[in-house]
Amino acid sequence: MPDEQMANPGGQPPAASAVPSPAARPLDTIDRSILRMLQTDGRASIRSVAERVHVSRANAYARINRLIDDGVIRGFGARVDQERAGQGASAYVTLKIVQNSWRTVREQLTALPGATHIALVSGDFDVLLLVHTKDNRELRELVLTRIQSIPEVLSTRTLLVFEETDLGPEQA
């Protein structure tokens, strides 16, 4: 990792395996400060991180690498304004799926264009999927043709997003 830039040109690291991860090490106040800083500016330099949290550059570098190695930091990326990026239609799609088919369904949903977040949840439905598409026509095609054709998907419900706001660490 270069000393001056924290950005990861590849975006996210490879997907984690299904093997459970070991128990996380406790985070101290310096680790939490580093996380908040990198959530606000993932391109922050090691030097600026070290100065802001009052540790040496070597210590900041070692802490960031430990947070990455421990899986606390899963990657670095950009927060995208979907509308400005040509993705004017957004929706949450809820899915009811065949029992015990989560891994198979997740694999297929991950491959969908525009899918940005997938969660296995409890309640009236099993999966919550956030998608961004160019327009409602593309959204309809995605839901009615691609998602509903997955054999393990029993039903879907689409919730259109009228407006969205990403909450950064300063709002959360």
Side-chain angles (χ1 to χ4, degrees), residues 141-161:
E141 176 71 17
L142 182 71
V143 174
L144 297 180
T145 304
R146 303 283 301 269
I147 296 173
Q148 289 184 356
S149 70
I150 298 171
E152 297 85 1
V153 172
L154 301 173
S155 67
T156 64
R157 177 170 286 165
T158 303
L159 307 165
L160 292 178
V161 174

Side-chain angles (χ1 to χ4, degrees), residues 71-84:
V72 175
I73 296 176
R74 297 182 299 170
F76 297 89
R79 288 191 300 228
V80 176
D81 182 314
Q82 296 296 333
E83 280 191 81
R84 289 181 181 250

Side-chain angles (χ1 to χ4, degrees), residues 86-91 113 131-146 158 160:
Q87 302 294 298
S90 297
V131 297
H132 301 283
T133 60
K134 181 177 76 172
D135 54 29
N136 284 343
R137 182 180 310 261
E138 195 174 285
L139 176 60
R140 184 183 68 219
E141 176 71 17
L142 182 71
V143 174
L144 297 180
T145 304
R146 303 283 301 269
T158 303
L160 292 178

Side-chain angles (χ1 to χ4, degrees), residues 5 16 37 39 52 69 74 80 101 103-104 112 141 166:
Q5 285 295 19
M37 186 175 179
Q39 284 177 298
R52 289 267 312 270
D69 291 344
R74 297 182 299 170
V80 176
S101 65
R103 286 176 183 80
T104 303
L112 291 175
E141 176 71 17
D166 285 333

Side-chain angles (χ1 to χ4, degrees), residues 36 94 97 159:
R36 275 192 303 278
T94 67
I97 61 174
L159 307 165

Side-chain angles (χ1 to χ4, degrees), residues 23-136:
R25 292 183 232 185
L27 302 180
D28 63 18
T29 56
I30 293 172
D31 291 332
R32 292 186 191 287
S33 294
I34 289 171
L35 289 174
R36 275 192 303 278
M37 186 175 179
L38 292 177
Q39 284 177 298
T40 302
D41 180 8
R43 294 171 39 132
S45 69
I46 293 285
R47 177 177 289 137
S48 66
V49 170
E51 288 171 0
R52 289 267 312 270
V53 300
H54 309 291
V55 297
S56 69
R57 287 189 336 191
N59 188 332
Y61 183 81
R63 283 174 176 268
I64 291 168
N65 278 337
R66 179 180 51 79
L67 292 167
I68 292 168
D69 291 344
D70 287 353
V72 175
I73 296 176
R74 297 182 299 170
F76 297 89
R79 288 191 300 228
V80 176
D81 182 314
Q82 296 296 333
E83 280 191 81
R84 289 181 181 250
Q87 302 294 298
S90 297
Y92 285 95
V93 182
T94 67
L95 295 82
K96 288 186 181 181
I97 61 174
V98 172
Q99 191 172 359
N100 296 321
S101 65
W102 163 241
R103 286 176 183 80
T104 303
V105 171
R106 179 183 55 196
E107 186 176 307
Q108 294 175 72
L109 295 175
T110 301
L112 291 175
T116 59
H117 184 83
I118 303 167
L120 178 65
V121 297
S122 65
D124 293 338
F125 50 88
D126 304 307
V127 178
L128 182 64
L129 172 68
L130 175 60
V131 297
H132 301 283
T133 60
K134 181 177 76 172
D135 54 29
N136 284 343

